[in-house]
Amino acid sequence: MESKRWVSLVFFALILVGLSYSSHLFLKDSDQQVQSISFVSDLKTTILGFLDETSWVTIEDIDEEDIKPKHDVILTPNLSSCHKSLSDAGRPVYCCPPKHESLEPIIDFKFPDVSEPIKVRKPAHMVDADYIAKYNKAITIMKSLPYDDPRNFMRQANIHCIYCTGAYNQQNSNSLLKIHRSWMFFPWHRMMIYFHERILGSLIGDENFALPFWNWDSPEGMFIPDMYLYGSMVDTQRDSSHLPPRVADLYYDYHERGLGTVNQISTNLAFMYNQMVSGAKKTELFMGCPYKTGKKGYCDGPGTIELAPHNALHTWVGSNLNPEREDFGAFYSAARDPIFYAHHSNIDRLWNVWNELRGNKPAIEDPDWLDTTFYFHNEKSQLVRIKIRDVVDNSKLRYAYENVENVWLNARPKPSIPPQISRQILKMRESRNPFLDGRRLDTTIRVKLHRPKTHRSKIEKEQEEEIIVVYGIDISKDMYVKFDVYVNAVDESIIGPESREFAGTFVNMMKGVRILLNKEDLVMKRKTIFKVGITELLEDLDADDDETIWVTLVPRGGTGINTTVDGVRIEYLK
Ligand code: C2O
């Protein structure tokens, strides 16, 4: 054991040297010296802190032989591995249950009985006073339960912390298990709020109790719903300038655009159209990348809705006075705000809407996804083993959504300049090399891309979505990064998601945990990739038969300093 610890120490020391070195490079060409220095020293403290911790399982295992890919192994947490983890900004947090869950009896998930009433989730801005009183009562009881009780409100919030910060290792692997930024995003959150809803109902003896949904994609719902401003639904850690009557910015990037209510609403709707329809024509674009077990199975590629509005609204609601915009703005603390459950209820509803838009064909049939297994406590405090395949069809879970109009379906954006005119202007622009070789994203990058296929038929287009791939995105310092992708834009500095030229937005949340805690996560590829669907957009821009298009990457919120990209190309996605 001792020798293992030494090997680990040397291993970490090497990383520190590497980090210090890269931060020196960083110092030369940046004005953020103070920040980078404290980043390295924080890191040293954190690592030494961890090495002092005797119960720290991952460190003990760290020089284990390279783990071979285990294709027959399902993705599931190792319940006895719960450990300290790091917040999005790399600060240590501890969210584990008071006792190891692996010591509890486990039951397999069963669908609720068909005799159970269907719980109908309604828009949060439309519920009545009786409902609000009931929900308040349930939350009050939940908050008063002892922390030992898994139904306790903080314990509920910490489930999210555990799975979002990587407090569990995967079963049979040293890799951490994290449920954001991949195809686990929708099903995991469906499970979480399903159990939460049933616990709330049982605490007030109401089988009909259903969570509300925050209908932020509809003009009347684009505000923090009133019910979250009173009683046990209040969270004081919110950005006070974003309380009603402020309309939500579904594409928020840390700075206030000041669009005014009317423009903000129409921009939101156009953005929703892009994220739900034109940018989400293929499963991977909407659901996120296929995340599998072990080191080899890692992926980082969130779907459209997860990137924004999901991430954007977390940031928008959380308090600007807190370091990570807690509560809602940081995943480790997000579920402490009762609005979390209404936010995810809407995300969950949009998953259904997307399925309906594509005729409810099964989106993913890969057993690796279907068999991915998680654990939650139910309303009887029993620990339940549940698989993604159990939650693919929500009608079997005895809840439903009240029908609301999806206004954004009719908000297809229009080109900011008539395409005939922009084509003339773009012709005069000089051609550039699409291989950017680590071009820094601190200013706008424009490239002219050759399209391998033009004149595709309608059927070909349905079968294969044309996508822009931004590859080799390297975020050298772990930080929040956001950039937009535009097609054939003449002046991308004055347009946004309300214009058809907007193809998508990439958002990187900080993920300190991957650097520090784990050998397998250490060697993980740092570079990431971003895919955006553009078939419909090219039609609307009259560029469908053009042999070349202009693609622009625009950093947003002044966050591109530490980011480089290797290049941009066109691919076709089945
Ligand atoms: Cu798991 Cu809205 O985050």
Side-chain angles (χ1 to χ4, degrees), residues 490-519:
V490 170
D491 183 356
E492 47 292 300
S493 68
I494 52 166
I495 58 174
E498 75 293 342
S499 302
R500 189 73 275 203
E501 290 89 341
F502 172 88
T505 190
F506 171 88
V507 186
N508 177 66
M509 308 296 276
M510 285 178 278
K511 44 195 163 194
V513 70
R514 300 215 177 97
I515 306 180
L516 290 181
L517 293 187
N518 224 303
K519 182 186 172 191

PDB file of all heavy atoms in Angstrom, residues 490-519:
ATOM      1  N   VAL A 490     -22.694  37.644 -42.826  1.00  0.00           N
ATOM      2  CA  VAL A 490     -21.922  38.774 -43.314  1.00  0.00           C
ATOM      3  C   VAL A 490     -21.305  39.516 -42.134  1.00  0.00           C
ATOM      4  O   VAL A 490     -20.122  39.818 -42.128  1.00  0.00           O
ATOM      5  CB  VAL A 490     -22.811  39.710 -44.150  1.00  0.00           C
ATOM      6  CG1 VAL A 490     -22.072  41.010 -44.463  1.00  0.00           C
ATOM      7  CG2 VAL A 490     -23.220  39.014 -45.431  1.00  0.00           C
ATOM      8  N   ASP A 491     -22.119  39.783 -41.115  1.00  0.00           N
ATOM      9  CA  ASP A 491     -21.570  40.430 -39.927  1.00  0.00           C
ATOM     10  C   ASP A 491     -22.118  39.737 -38.680  1.00  0.00           C
ATOM     11  O   ASP A 491     -23.193  40.071 -38.191  1.00  0.00           O
ATOM     12  CB  ASP A 491     -21.937  41.920 -39.916  1.00  0.00           C
ATOM     13  CG  ASP A 491     -21.313  42.618 -38.712  1.00  0.00           C
ATOM     14  OD1 ASP A 491     -20.672  41.920 -37.880  1.00  0.00           O
ATOM     15  OD2 ASP A 491     -21.469  43.849 -38.597  1.00  0.00           O
ATOM     16  N   GLU A 492     -21.355  38.750 -38.192  1.00  0.00           N
ATOM     17  CA  GLU A 492     -21.856  37.942 -37.090  1.00  0.00           C
ATOM     18  C   GLU A 492     -21.804  38.690 -35.753  1.00  0.00           C
ATOM     19  O   GLU A 492     -22.311  38.204 -34.758  1.00  0.00           O
ATOM     20  CB  GLU A 492     -21.143  36.588 -36.990  1.00  0.00           C
ATOM     21  CG  GLU A 492     -19.628  36.588 -37.071  1.00  0.00           C
ATOM     22  CD  GLU A 492     -19.087  36.982 -38.432  1.00  0.00           C
ATOM     23  OE1 GLU A 492     -19.405  36.285 -39.411  1.00  0.00           O
ATOM     24  OE2 GLU A 492     -18.355  37.970 -38.511  1.00  0.00           O
ATOM     25  N   SER A 493     -21.224  39.886 -35.749  1.00  0.00           N
ATOM     26  CA  SER A 493     -21.151  40.596 -34.475  1.00  0.00           C
ATOM     27  C   SER A 493     -22.492  41.238 -34.126  1.00  0.00           C
ATOM     28  O   SER A 493     -22.715  41.630 -32.988  1.00  0.00           O
ATOM     29  CB  SER A 493     -20.049  41.657 -34.511  1.00  0.00           C
ATOM     30  OG  SER A 493     -20.425  42.679 -35.404  1.00  0.00           O
ATOM     31  N   ILE A 494     -23.381  41.364 -35.120  1.00  0.00           N
ATOM     32  CA  ILE A 494     -24.643  42.029 -34.806  1.00  0.00           C
ATOM     33  C   ILE A 494     -25.833  41.073 -34.852  1.00  0.00           C
ATOM     34  O   ILE A 494     -26.977  41.486 -34.731  1.00  0.00           O
ATOM     35  CB  ILE A 494     -24.905  43.210 -35.773  1.00  0.00           C
ATOM     36  CG1 ILE A 494     -24.763  42.737 -37.230  1.00  0.00           C
ATOM     37  CG2 ILE A 494     -23.936  44.353 -35.501  1.00  0.00           C
ATOM     38  CD1 ILE A 494     -25.325  43.715 -38.230  1.00  0.00           C
ATOM     39  N   ILE A 495     -25.578  39.767 -35.047  1.00  0.00           N
ATOM     40  CA  ILE A 495     -26.720  38.853 -35.076  1.00  0.00           C
ATOM     41  C   ILE A 495     -26.560  37.772 -34.011  1.00  0.00           C
ATOM     42  O   ILE A 495     -25.503  37.622 -33.403  1.00  0.00           O
ATOM     43  CB  ILE A 495     -26.926  38.208 -36.479  1.00  0.00           C
ATOM     44  CG1 ILE A 495     -25.666  37.455 -36.917  1.00  0.00           C
ATOM     45  CG2 ILE A 495     -27.326  39.259 -37.499  1.00  0.00           C
ATOM     46  CD1 ILE A 495     -25.836  36.689 -38.209  1.00  0.00           C
ATOM     47  N   GLY A 496     -27.638  37.037 -33.775  1.00  0.00           N
ATOM     48  CA  GLY A 496     -27.641  35.985 -32.758  1.00  0.00           C
ATOM     49  C   GLY A 496     -28.629  34.913 -33.177  1.00  0.00           C
ATOM     50  O   GLY A 496     -28.933  34.779 -34.375  1.00  0.00           O
ATOM     51  N   PRO A 497     -29.141  34.157 -32.224  1.00  0.00           N
ATOM     52  CA  PRO A 497     -30.011  33.031 -32.568  1.00  0.00           C
ATOM     53  C   PRO A 497     -31.313  33.419 -33.261  1.00  0.00           C
ATOM     54  O   PRO A 497     -32.001  32.550 -33.778  1.00  0.00           O
ATOM     55  CB  PRO A 497     -30.330  32.394 -31.207  1.00  0.00           C
ATOM     56  CG  PRO A 497     -29.530  33.086 -30.191  1.00  0.00           C
ATOM     57  CD  PRO A 497     -28.895  34.281 -30.792  1.00  0.00           C
ATOM     58  N   GLU A 498     -31.648  34.714 -33.281  1.00  0.00           N
ATOM     59  CA  GLU A 498     -32.879  35.099 -33.979  1.00  0.00           C
ATOM     60  C   GLU A 498     -32.695  35.028 -35.493  1.00  0.00           C
ATOM     61  O   GLU A 498     -33.648  35.090 -36.242  1.00  0.00           O
ATOM     62  CB  GLU A 498     -33.324  36.503 -33.534  1.00  0.00           C
ATOM     63  CG  GLU A 498     -32.532  37.687 -34.089  1.00  0.00           C
ATOM     64  CD  GLU A 498     -31.074  37.768 -33.590  1.00  0.00           C
ATOM     65  OE1 GLU A 498     -30.762  37.115 -32.564  1.00  0.00           O
ATOM     66  OE2 GLU A 498     -30.258  38.451 -34.239  1.00  0.00           O
ATOM     67  N   SER A 499     -31.443  34.895 -35.947  1.00  0.00           N
ATOM     68  CA  SER A 499     -31.168  34.882 -37.387  1.00  0.00           C
ATOM     69  C   SER A 499     -30.857  33.477 -37.872  1.00  0.00           C
ATOM     70  O   SER A 499     -30.224  32.698 -37.163  1.00  0.00           O
ATOM     71  CB  SER A 499     -29.965  35.771 -37.709  1.00  0.00           C
ATOM     72  OG  SER A 499     -30.200  37.075 -37.266  1.00  0.00           O
ATOM     73  N   ARG A 500     -31.278  33.211 -39.079  1.00  0.00           N
ATOM     74  CA  ARG A 500     -31.105  31.872 -39.637  1.00  0.00           C
ATOM     75  C   ARG A 500     -29.628  31.501 -39.794  1.00  0.00           C
ATOM     76  O   ARG A 500     -29.259  30.327 -39.830  1.00  0.00           O
ATOM     77  CB  ARG A 500     -31.826  31.817 -40.988  1.00  0.00           C
ATOM     78  CG  ARG A 500     -31.922  30.457 -41.607  1.00  0.00           C
ATOM     79  CD  ARG A 500     -32.908  29.503 -40.954  1.00  0.00           C
ATOM     80  NE  ARG A 500     -32.421  28.771 -39.818  1.00  0.00           N
ATOM     81  CZ  ARG A 500     -32.935  27.613 -39.393  1.00  0.00           C
ATOM     82  NH1 ARG A 500     -33.954  27.069 -40.024  1.00  0.00           N
ATOM     83  NH2 ARG A 500     -32.458  27.022 -38.330  1.00  0.00           N
ATOM     84  N   GLU A 501     -28.753  32.459 -39.898  1.00  0.00           N
ATOM     85  CA  GLU A 501     -27.323  32.171 -40.048  1.00  0.00           C
ATOM     86  C   GLU A 501     -26.745  31.482 -38.813  1.00  0.00           C
ATOM     87  O   GLU A 501     -25.687  30.867 -38.876  1.00  0.00           O
ATOM     88  CB  GLU A 501     -26.545  33.479 -40.302  1.00  0.00           C
ATOM     89  CG  GLU A 501     -26.802  34.121 -41.667  1.00  0.00           C
ATOM     90  CD  GLU A 501     -27.976  35.098 -41.657  1.00  0.00           C
ATOM     91  OE1 GLU A 501     -28.816  35.021 -40.727  1.00  0.00           O
ATOM     92  OE2 GLU A 501     -28.066  35.916 -42.583  1.00  0.00           O
ATOM     93  N   PHE A 502     -27.428  31.607 -37.688  1.00  0.00           N
ATOM     94  CA  PHE A 502     -26.972  30.980 -36.436  1.00  0.00           C
ATOM     95  C   PHE A 502     -27.197  29.469 -36.512  1.00  0.00           C
ATOM     96  O   PHE A 502     -28.309  29.009 -36.730  1.00  0.00           O
ATOM     97  CB  PHE A 502     -27.770  31.574 -35.273  1.00  0.00           C
ATOM     98  CG  PHE A 502     -27.551  30.890 -33.953  1.00  0.00           C
ATOM     99  CD1 PHE A 502     -26.520  31.290 -33.109  1.00  0.00           C
ATOM    100  CD2 PHE A 502     -28.382  29.856 -33.538  1.00  0.00           C
ATOM    101  CE1 PHE A 502     -26.324  30.659 -31.880  1.00  0.00           C
ATOM    102  CE2 PHE A 502     -28.196  29.221 -32.311  1.00  0.00           C
ATOM    103  CZ  PHE A 502     -27.160  29.624 -31.484  1.00  0.00           C
ATOM    104  N   ALA A 503     -26.133  28.687 -36.328  1.00  0.00           N
ATOM    105  CA  ALA A 503     -26.274  27.233 -36.442  1.00  0.00           C
ATOM    106  C   ALA A 503     -26.241  26.529 -35.093  1.00  0.00           C
ATOM    107  O   ALA A 503     -26.791  25.438 -34.939  1.00  0.00           O
ATOM    108  CB  ALA A 503     -25.170  26.665 -37.338  1.00  0.00           C
ATOM    109  N   GLY A 504     -25.590  27.105 -34.110  1.00  0.00           N
ATOM    110  CA  GLY A 504     -25.565  26.425 -32.812  1.00  0.00           C
ATOM    111  C   GLY A 504     -24.583  27.098 -31.877  1.00  0.00           C
ATOM    112  O   GLY A 504     -23.820  27.981 -32.270  1.00  0.00           O
ATOM    113  N   THR A 505     -24.621  26.663 -30.630  1.00  0.00           N
ATOM    114  CA  THR A 505     -23.742  27.252 -29.635  1.00  0.00           C
ATOM    115  C   THR A 505     -23.088  26.157 -28.807  1.00  0.00           C
ATOM    116  O   THR A 505     -23.732  25.176 -28.442  1.00  0.00           O
ATOM    117  CB  THR A 505     -24.519  28.263 -28.753  1.00  0.00           C
ATOM    118  OG1 THR A 505     -23.594  28.993 -27.945  1.00  0.00           O
ATOM    119  CG2 THR A 505     -25.522  27.594 -27.838  1.00  0.00           C
ATOM    120  N   PHE A 506     -21.796  26.313 -28.569  1.00  0.00           N
ATOM    121  CA  PHE A 506     -21.046  25.352 -27.768  1.00  0.00           C
ATOM    122  C   PHE A 506     -20.822  25.958 -26.397  1.00  0.00           C
ATOM    123  O   PHE A 506     -20.426  27.113 -26.284  1.00  0.00           O
ATOM    124  CB  PHE A 506     -19.693  25.071 -28.442  1.00  0.00           C
ATOM    125  CG  PHE A 506     -18.748  24.252 -27.608  1.00  0.00           C
ATOM    126  CD1 PHE A 506     -18.775  22.868 -27.661  1.00  0.00           C
ATOM    127  CD2 PHE A 506     -17.829  24.865 -26.760  1.00  0.00           C
ATOM    128  CE1 PHE A 506     -17.905  22.108 -26.884  1.00  0.00           C
ATOM    129  CE2 PHE A 506     -16.957  24.112 -25.978  1.00  0.00           C
ATOM    130  CZ  PHE A 506     -17.005  22.730 -26.047  1.00  0.00           C
ATOM    131  N   VAL A 507     -21.099  25.171 -25.353  1.00  0.00           N
ATOM    132  CA  VAL A 507     -20.879  25.666 -23.998  1.00  0.00           C
ATOM    133  C   VAL A 507     -20.059  24.646 -23.235  1.00  0.00           C
ATOM    134  O   VAL A 507     -20.417  23.472 -23.169  1.00  0.00           O
ATOM    135  CB  VAL A 507     -22.212  25.883 -23.236  1.00  0.00           C
ATOM    136  CG1 VAL A 507     -21.941  26.537 -21.888  1.00  0.00           C
ATOM    137  CG2 VAL A 507     -23.181  26.725 -24.035  1.00  0.00           C
ATOM    138  N   ASN A 508     -18.944  25.067 -22.697  1.00  0.00           N
ATOM    139  CA  ASN A 508     -18.156  24.192 -21.835  1.00  0.00           C
ATOM    140  C   ASN A 508     -18.277  24.684 -20.411  1.00  0.00           C
ATOM    141  O   ASN A 508     -17.981  25.828 -20.113  1.00  0.00           O
ATOM    142  CB  ASN A 508     -16.678  24.231 -22.254  1.00  0.00           C
ATOM    143  CG  ASN A 508     -15.823  23.394 -21.320  1.00  0.00           C
ATOM    144  OD1 ASN A 508     -15.962  22.177 -21.283  1.00  0.00           O
ATOM    145  ND2 ASN A 508     -14.958  24.037 -20.574  1.00  0.00           N
ATOM    146  N   MET A 509     -18.730  23.791 -19.525  1.00  0.00           N
ATOM    147  CA  MET A 509     -18.723  24.131 -18.117  1.00  0.00           C
ATOM    148  C   MET A 509     -17.385  23.651 -17.572  1.00  0.00           C
ATOM    149  O   MET A 509     -16.791  22.731 -18.103  1.00  0.00           O
ATOM    150  CB  MET A 509     -19.864  23.440 -17.367  1.00  0.00           C
ATOM    151  CG  MET A 509     -21.226  23.637 -17.997  1.00  0.00           C
ATOM    152  SD  MET A 509     -21.788  25.357 -17.994  1.00  0.00           S
ATOM    153  CE  MET A 509     -22.491  25.421 -16.347  1.00  0.00           C
ATOM    154  N   MET A 510     -16.951  24.234 -16.498  1.00  0.00           N
ATOM    155  CA  MET A 510     -15.678  23.777 -15.933  1.00  0.00           C
ATOM    156  C   MET A 510     -15.824  22.350 -15.423  1.00  0.00           C
ATOM    157  O   MET A 510     -16.884  21.937 -15.017  1.00  0.00           O
ATOM    158  CB  MET A 510     -15.280  24.692 -14.803  1.00  0.00           C
ATOM    159  CG  MET A 510     -14.776  25.998 -15.346  1.00  0.00           C
ATOM    160  SD  MET A 510     -14.363  27.132 -14.059  1.00  0.00           S
ATOM    161  CE  MET A 510     -15.958  27.795 -13.680  1.00  0.00           C
ATOM    162  N   LYS A 511     -14.733  21.602 -15.455  1.00  0.00           N
ATOM    163  CA  LYS A 511     -14.824  20.219 -15.000  1.00  0.00           C
ATOM    164  C   LYS A 511     -13.536  19.802 -14.317  1.00  0.00           C
ATOM    165  O   LYS A 511     -12.877  18.863 -14.722  1.00  0.00           O
ATOM    166  CB  LYS A 511     -15.160  19.292 -16.152  1.00  0.00           C
ATOM    167  CG  LYS A 511     -14.364  19.596 -17.406  1.00  0.00           C
ATOM    168  CD  LYS A 511     -14.957  18.926 -18.610  1.00  0.00           C
ATOM    169  CE  LYS A 511     -14.421  19.554 -19.872  1.00  0.00           C
ATOM    170  NZ  LYS A 511     -15.141  19.220 -21.066  1.00  0.00           N
ATOM    171  N   GLY A 512     -13.175  20.510 -13.295  1.00  0.00           N
ATOM    172  CA  GLY A 512     -11.936  20.286 -12.571  1.00  0.00           C
ATOM    173  C   GLY A 512     -11.714  18.838 -12.195  1.00  0.00           C
ATOM    174  O   GLY A 512     -10.591  18.345 -12.213  1.00  0.00           O
ATOM    175  N   VAL A 513     -12.791  18.133 -11.899  1.00  0.00           N
ATOM    176  CA  VAL A 513     -12.710  16.771 -11.437  1.00  0.00           C
ATOM    177  C   VAL A 513     -11.926  15.864 -12.384  1.00  0.00           C
ATOM    178  O   VAL A 513     -11.213  14.985 -11.963  1.00  0.00           O
ATOM    179  CB  VAL A 513     -14.143  16.235 -11.216  1.00  0.00           C
ATOM    180  CG1 VAL A 513     -14.868  16.047 -12.529  1.00  0.00           C
ATOM    181  CG2 VAL A 513     -14.124  14.982 -10.408  1.00  0.00           C
ATOM    182  N   ARG A 514     -11.985  16.093 -13.657  1.00  0.00           N
ATOM    183  CA  ARG A 514     -11.329  15.188 -14.582  1.00  0.00           C
ATOM    184  C   ARG A 514      -9.824  15.349 -14.522  1.00  0.00           C
ATOM    185  O   ARG A 514      -9.089  14.461 -14.853  1.00  0.00           O
ATOM    186  CB  ARG A 514     -11.790  15.464 -16.013  1.00  0.00           C
ATOM    187  CG  ARG A 514     -13.262  15.285 -16.117  1.00  0.00           C
ATOM    188  CD  ARG A 514     -13.650  14.718 -17.460  1.00  0.00           C
ATOM    189  NE  ARG A 514     -15.076  14.506 -17.458  1.00  0.00           N
ATOM    190  CZ  ARG A 514     -15.939  15.354 -17.971  1.00  0.00           C
ATOM    191  NH1 ARG A 514     -15.523  16.423 -18.579  1.00  0.00           N
ATOM    192  NH2 ARG A 514     -17.216  15.123 -17.897  1.00  0.00           N
ATOM    193  N   ILE A 515      -9.352  16.499 -14.111  1.00  0.00           N
ATOM    194  CA  ILE A 515      -7.912  16.680 -14.077  1.00  0.00           C
ATOM    195  C   ILE A 515      -7.319  15.971 -12.872  1.00  0.00           C
ATOM    196  O   ILE A 515      -6.243  15.432 -12.933  1.00  0.00           O
ATOM    197  CB  ILE A 515      -7.560  18.173 -13.973  1.00  0.00           C
ATOM    198  CG1 ILE A 515      -8.236  18.929 -15.098  1.00  0.00           C
ATOM    199  CG2 ILE A 515      -6.064  18.372 -14.051  1.00  0.00           C
ATOM    200  CD1 ILE A 515      -7.940  20.406 -15.060  1.00  0.00           C
ATOM    201  N   LEU A 516      -8.046  15.978 -11.772  1.00  0.00           N
ATOM    202  CA  LEU A 516      -7.402  15.641 -10.529  1.00  0.00           C
ATOM    203  C   LEU A 516      -7.569  14.232 -10.007  1.00  0.00           C
ATOM    204  O   LEU A 516      -6.655  13.665  -9.448  1.00  0.00           O
ATOM    205  CB  LEU A 516      -7.955  16.564  -9.437  1.00  0.00           C
ATOM    206  CG  LEU A 516      -7.524  18.002  -9.564  1.00  0.00           C
ATOM    207  CD1 LEU A 516      -8.118  18.786  -8.434  1.00  0.00           C
ATOM    208  CD2 LEU A 516      -6.020  18.094  -9.539  1.00  0.00           C
ATOM    209  N   LEU A 517      -8.738  13.686 -10.106  1.00  0.00           N
ATOM    210  CA  LEU A 517      -9.064  12.631  -9.176  1.00  0.00           C
ATOM    211  C   LEU A 517      -8.686  11.228  -9.599  1.00  0.00           C
ATOM    212  O   LEU A 517      -8.739  10.315  -8.824  1.00  0.00           O
ATOM    213  CB  LEU A 517     -10.557  12.658  -8.889  1.00  0.00           C
ATOM    214  CG  LEU A 517     -10.980  13.902  -8.127  1.00  0.00           C
ATOM    215  CD1 LEU A 517     -12.418  13.778  -7.726  1.00  0.00           C
ATOM    216  CD2 LEU A 517     -10.123  14.106  -6.908  1.00  0.00           C
ATOM    217  N   ASN A 518      -8.331  11.021 -10.804  1.00  0.00           N
ATOM    218  CA  ASN A 518      -8.360   9.681 -11.263  1.00  0.00           C
ATOM    219  C   ASN A 518      -7.420   9.438 -12.407  1.00  0.00           C
ATOM    220  O   ASN A 518      -7.381  10.201 -13.341  1.00  0.00           O
ATOM    221  CB  ASN A 518      -9.780   9.456 -11.796  1.00  0.00           C
ATOM    222  CG  ASN A 518     -10.292   8.148 -11.351  1.00  0.00           C
ATOM    223  OD1 ASN A 518      -9.642   7.157 -11.638  1.00  0.00           O
ATOM    224  ND2 ASN A 518     -11.375   8.161 -10.640  1.00  0.00           N
ATOM    225  N   LYS A 519      -6.711   8.339 -12.341  1.00  0.00           N
ATOM    226  CA  LYS A 519      -5.769   8.041 -13.404  1.00  0.00           C
ATOM    227  C   LYS A 519      -6.475   7.989 -14.757  1.00  0.00           C
ATOM    228  O   LYS A 519      -6.053   8.600 -15.723  1.00  0.00           O
ATOM    229  CB  LYS A 519      -5.104   6.707 -13.133  1.00  0.00           C
ATOM    230  CG  LYS A 519      -4.078   6.345 -14.186  1.00  0.00           C
ATOM    231  CD  LYS A 519      -3.571   4.951 -13.945  1.00  0.00           C
ATOM    232  CE  LYS A 519      -2.684   4.487 -15.078  1.00  0.00           C
ATOM    233  NZ  LYS A 519      -2.416   3.062 -14.945  1.00  0.00           N
TER     234      LYS A 519
END
